Amino acid sequence: MPLSGHCLCKAVTYTVDVDEPILTGYDHCDDCQRQSGSTYSLVVVVPKDKLQTKGPIKKWKGVADSGNAVWRWFCEECGSPIAHDPDAAPAIIALKGGSLDVELKKKLKPDTEIWTVSKLPFCQEKLEKPFTHMPQ
């Protein structure tokens, strides 16, 4: 069953032709905290070539600590975050887990945390695979 989701106003929809994500986890980097307005961003990493989108997506170019671009995708209409697309890893894209369809979100099993160096001290949950920075 492919993954699917949409933004808040449903102007942007997407499908991913995969049965399971490559990785599901929490991104604690400062940019993700700011973009999500929360302690971390729930990310669902999938092959970029399996993603199909429809609707008015706007992309904003940020710069990672590595100096590489990270493109933040969001709905041009309602501003909902859809994904972040790192130039350093062109084969993958990190969908924002909250944008998945409800029944799919309920089945996610996050097991990885990245950028724990930026993890806020009151965030006590600990996942199975923590990485101080970006895994190689």
Side-chain angles (χ1 to χ4, degrees), residues 7 19 24 51 58 93 123 132 135:
C7 67
D19 291 327
T24 302
L51 173 66
K58 186 162 183 158
I93 190 162
C123 186
T132 306

Side-chain angles (χ1 to χ4, degrees), residues 26-41 60 62-65 70 72 84 96 114-122 131-134:
Y26 303 159
D27 188 334
H28 293 280
C29 79
D30 186 65
D31 287 348
C32 280
Q33 291 173 14
R34 291 178 189 283
Q35 177 271 318
S36 70
S38 191
T39 56
Y40 56 80
S41 178
W60 178 78
V63 180
D65 285 352
V70 178
R72 306 262 170 196
H84 66 264
K96 300 303 178 176
I114 62 173
W115 286 100
T116 59
V117 69
S118 302
K119 187 174 182 175
L120 296 173
F122 56 81
F131 294 89
T132 306
H133 294 92
M134 195 69 179

